Each structure stands twice: as C-alpha cells, then as structure tokens.
Amino acid sequence: MALYTKNIILSLSGGILLGLFFLHGFSLLATADATVALFFSLLGEGWILKTLAFAVLVGSVMELMQKSGGINGFVSFMTQKTRLVRSPRSALLVSYFIGVIIFIESSITALIAGAVGRPLCDKEKVPHAKLAFVCDSTSAPVSSLIVLNGWGALLLGLIATQVQTGTISGDNVDILLHSVAYNFYAMSALVVTFLAVWFNIDIGAMKKAKPSLDKPALHVNAQANMSYMILPIFLMIAFVFLFLAMTGNGDMFKGSGSSAIFYTMLATLFVMFVYYIGTKNMSVTTYTKSAVNGAKKLFPIAVILLFAFAIGKVTVDLKTGEYLASLANESLSLFLLSGVIFLLSSIISFSTGTSWGTFSIMIPIAVPMAVGMDADVALAIGAVISGGVFGDHCSPISDTTIISSLASDCEVIEHVKTQLPYALISGLVAFALFILFGFMTPGSS
C-alpha cells in the first residue's frame, strides 16, 4: 500500500487499524480503544521515546553543521584541496567506506555516512536516493557481520538461551562466529552495492532518480572551516562507544542502543554549543534558532518512526512469525531448511520492520527445527540473521530504512523503491547459497 499510495503515514495507519480490527474480533469500538492504548503504551516505552528524540536531534546537528560553514569547508577540502572527490563514483565511495568502517551501531553508521556523503553528492549531482541506498546497504550488513556491537550481544543472548535450555550444546561465541560465516545476504549486499557504485549500475526505479533540484547549488568557499563538521562527526563516533559502555555497566556488548544514540546526540549538541559559541562562529540566538529549525524539519520522520513501531507491535501480536513457521515445518525437506528459514525470516522482518525482533522470534524456532532434522545449526542461525537483514532492507517501516532516508534527505518511499531491485538481487544470491549449502552441509554441527 505504501508503494502504491506513496503516502507512508496513510499506509501505516491503514495497516495498524486493520491489524487491530482482526485482533479485537472485528469490533470498531474495541479497535478504536486499542489504537489509543497502543500509542499510549508505545510512548510509555523509554527506548521508543529515545529513538524518536534521536531522529529529531539529528535534524538539529545537521542544520548546525550547515549553518556553521563546516559542510562547505569539508566539500572544499575533498573537491579542491585534496581532489579526493572528483566524480559521482568517488562521492558515493566515501559514504560506502564510512559505512563499512563504522560498525558499532547501525543507526549512527547510516547517519554519519549520510551526513558526510550528502554535500559531496550534491556537489557531484548524485541523486539522494542513491546515497540512501549506499547508507542503508552498508550499515546493517556490516553491523551484522562484525558483531562487536549490540547486534552481537543480542545474538549471543539468544544463542545462550538455546544452550541453557539444552536444545544445543557448545560455546556461545563459537556458535555465533560459525553462524555469522553464513550471513550470505550481508556479504552479497556489500558486494552488490560496491559494484553498483563502481560501475554506476542503475536498475529499476534508480534509473529515474534525479539530483535534488529544490536546493540551491553549493558554492564552495575555500576559506570555510571543515572542523565545524568533522568535530561533531568524530564526537558521535566516540560518544556512541562511551555510552554503550556506560549503559552496559562497563560492558559495551550489554549496552542499550537506543539510550546510547540518544545520549550521543545530546552530548554532541552540547559540545557543538561550546565550540561554536566559543570560537564566535555563531551567537547563542543563531545556534538556538538553527537547532530548533533543524529539529522541526525532521519531526515528520519521528512521526513515521512511531507509526512504524506501532505496526510492528501489531504484527507481532498477530503471531505472524509463529504461524508461518508452523506451516513451513510441515513436510519440509532437510536440504531446503536453511533456504526456507531465510525466506520466513525475510517475510517476518519485512512485516515488522525490525531485524532484531525477527532474530528474537526466529532463532527459538529455527534452532529446534535444525536440531530435530539433524541439520547444521550454524547454517540455520545464519539464515535467520540474513533473512532479518534482508527483510529489514526491503521494508518501508524499518527504522534503518527511515534513518537512512533521513540522513540522505530522501523520501522514504523513493528510497524503498530505488533500493528494492538491488536488495532483491542480493537476496536471490543469498537464497541460492543457502540452498547450495543445505545440500553440502546437511549434518548437524
């Protein structure tokens, strides 16, 4: 519906109401009461409020970097002083490699890749849709491959539960590392994205994507100071490490992602205030007005995120994942198991908009299925991870989809439509590999 109407709020609202209508016995009154209760309950969740605040505060940081002249200075440095960026390809490669290098938190990764790449892409007349594709197709895949982050902590916890219940045996870390080696979607997505950038491959809706025409051309000033952009970006990277450790009581792997990114933005804005005012870059009034204006620009994104969380909750309540798994478990071939798990995880992730939620639903289902059929457990878990990331990439209600659009200044629906063909190619490659390895490694690990 979102792709057809091009109105994501209308589409999300329709999905939420229809789901609640089914859940409450087709009663209009009960549906109305449940809708109000749902949004009140979501706004009572600390992690949701912090994620929404993060989305709004991103707007403040972006606006301040622009107003300070930092973005102008960075573009001057990259295009005139060092000439590292001289083409659309090199502009996109900067964001690609940032997305690969910063693997600590997918939201921060997408944000920084977009913040750095957007002015360069504007200078080289690269469509924002293509930048959003690069940001989205590096952040989650890398975070799910290099699991020294919250992704790894979640997966370790889910695997540990299966070990503790006696479903499987072995070392949690060893099982996770073996499983990540089968994260075929993340690997194929990174390769497909690089090839699309390097060879300028536009397919599907991406052929029609145009550079932003509603913004004035960026007049590069060689005297502008890029430190007003570089410092905030460096601070965001440093602070997210710090706050993950602090919220995890010293253990970064146990830290809260939503709290870390929220506190990161607050701390960054505070240091920016001290630096910008202290260096007389702008007055307190200018700083305040710019921060408020930036927050206002991204308030609609926060609303979309709230509705995305709501429909995700409704989908979970409908027990879509359990139902699909029960259907797949009937007369399922051992050799097709990992491929089917990948498809199921993809559908659930697409429907709920959350890869982490998909992991939490599917690992307790996939592991017993693999054990019961004497299949490779690591391959089954790898299929869950891959499917979770794949479905999340294709979903218009995914938080990483929305944040990548936000960071790249691209409409969410345009981003979904232009990214979808590339994601489907990567998904097809991953599915084929899961079928192949299902035949090659049928034995339990």
Side-chain angles (χ1 to χ4, degrees):
M1 183 175 177
L3 297 177
Y4 176 74
T5 64
K6 298 183 181 179
N7 187 322
I8 193 164
I9 291 292
L10 176 63
S11 304
L12 290 172
S13 300
I16 292 165
L17 292 173
L18 184 60
L20 291 174
F21 189 59
F22 281 122
L23 284 169
H24 292 85
F26 307 104
S27 167
L28 291 175
L29 185 59
T31 299
D33 289 340
T35 303
V36 174
L38 171 63
F39 280 96
F40 269 105
S41 68
L42 291 174
L43 292 173
E45 294 279 351
W47 73 270
I48 289 180
L49 289 176
K50 288 171 183 174
T51 303
L52 298 178
F54 163 76
V56 172
L57 294 175
V58 165
S60 298
V61 171
M62 296 287 196
E63 186 73 12
L64 287 165
M65 288 194 300
Q66 176 69 52
K67 190 74 174 179
S68 69
I71 290 177
N72 202 309
F74 176 74
V75 173
S76 170
F77 177 80
M78 296 295 286
T79 60
Q80 294 184 357
K81 294 180 180 178
T82 65
R83 296 187 64 79
L84 289 173
V85 174
R86 292 178 289 177
S87 65
R89 176 201 290 173
S90 53
L92 287 169
L93 283 176
V94 170
S95 290
Y96 179 88
F97 286 115
I98 287 174
V100 171
I101 293 168
I102 304 173
F103 56 84
I104 192 63
E105 212 290 325
S106 55
S107 296
I108 290 291
T109 300
L111 170 62
I112 293 173
V116 172
R118 195 165 80 191
L120 299 175
C121 288
D122 285 343
K123 180 73 168 53
E124 298 297 334
K125 295 181 172 54
V126 176
H128 287 182
K130 203 159 192 178
L131 174 62
F133 156 59
V134 171
C135 294
D136 204 357
S137 298
T138 52
S139 56
V142 168
S143 296
S144 65
L145 278 171
I146 307 175
V147 288
L148 301 174
N149 48 35
W151 293 67
L154 172 68
L155 291 167
L156 275 175
L158 294 170
I159 292 170
T161 301
Q162 296 301 308
V163 173
Q164 290 166 5
T165 57
T167 307
I168 54 176
S169 60
D171 179 71
N172 303 338
V173 175
D174 187 55
I175 295 171
L176 175 59
L177 293 178
H178 278 84
S179 301
V180 168
Y182 293 119
N183 188 358
F184 296 134
Y185 177 75
M187 299 173 194
S188 60
L190 290 172
V191 172
V192 167
T193 303
F194 180 82
L195 293 176
V197 171
W198 188 263
F199 294 106
N200 191 30
I201 302 171
D202 292 340
I203 55 177
M206 192 68 82
K207 292 180 179 179
K208 300 178 181 178
K210 303 294 182 185
S212 180
L213 300 177
D214 60 346
K215 299 180 183 301
L218 183 64
H219 299 289
V220 177
N221 178 5
Q223 303 303 315
N225 191 341
M226 71 173 181
S227 68
Y228 293 110
M229 174 180 170
I230 297 299
L231 178 65
I233 288 174
F234 172 78
L235 289 172
M236 284 189 283
I237 297 171
F239 280 141
V240 77
F241 276 98
L242 174 64
F243 288 118
L244 278 172
M246 290 178 64
T247 55
N249 294 320
D251 188 346
M252 190 176 70
F253 298 106
K254 295 181 179 178
S256 166
S258 58
S259 294
I261 59 176
F262 171 64
Y263 295 138
T264 291
M265 300 315 295
L266 286 181
T268 300
L269 283 168
F270 175 75
V271 177
M272 288 174 74
F273 176 82
V274 174
Y275 182 53
Y276 287 11
I277 305 303
T279 56
K280 295 183 171 53
N281 177 273
M282 60 180 68
S283 66
V284 174
T285 301
T286 302
Y287 179 96
T288 304
K289 286 183 178 179
S290 299
V292 171
N293 288 338
K296 285 180 180 177
K297 289 178 182 178
L298 292 191
F299 182 77
I301 295 293
V303 174
I304 292 173
L305 274 172
L306 177 60
F307 276 73
F309 290 140
I311 199 168
K313 177 69 166 59
V314 170
T315 305
V316 170
D317 290 344
L318 286 167
K319 299 188 182 300
T320 306
E322 288 86 341
Y323 174 70
L324 290 172
S326 67
L327 291 178
N329 204 22
E330 299 174 5
S331 64
L332 178 62
S333 166
L334 164 66
F335 302 107
L336 299 177
L337 176 64
S338 59
V340 171
I341 290 174
F342 171 73
L343 292 178
L344 286 176
S345 301
S346 302
I347 294 169
I348 294 168
S349 184
F350 180 85
S351 303
T352 60
T354 166
S355 48
W356 286 26
T358 300
F359 302 160
S360 302
I361 292 170
M362 280 300 297
I363 286 180
I365 294 171
V367 171
M369 287 173 68
V371 171
M373 300 177 70
D374 195 30
D376 189 329
V377 172
L379 184 61
I381 296 174
V384 172
I385 299 171
S386 280
V389 177
F390 174 43
D392 185 84
H393 265 176
C394 299
S395 176
I397 63 171
S398 159
D399 56 346
T400 51
T401 297
I402 295 168
I403 289 171
S404 295
S405 303
L406 173 162
S408 307
D409 193 22
C410 174
E411 291 290 334
V412 175
I413 296 304
E414 182 185 14
H415 169 44
V416 173
K417 290 174 67 176
T418 50
Q419 177 171 264
L420 191 58
Y422 302 95
L424 290 175
I425 290 171
S426 301
L428 184 61
V429 171
F431 178 71
L433 287 171
F434 281 118
I435 297 298
L436 176 63
F437 275 77
F439 280 94
M440 291 172 59
T441 57
S444 178
S445 61

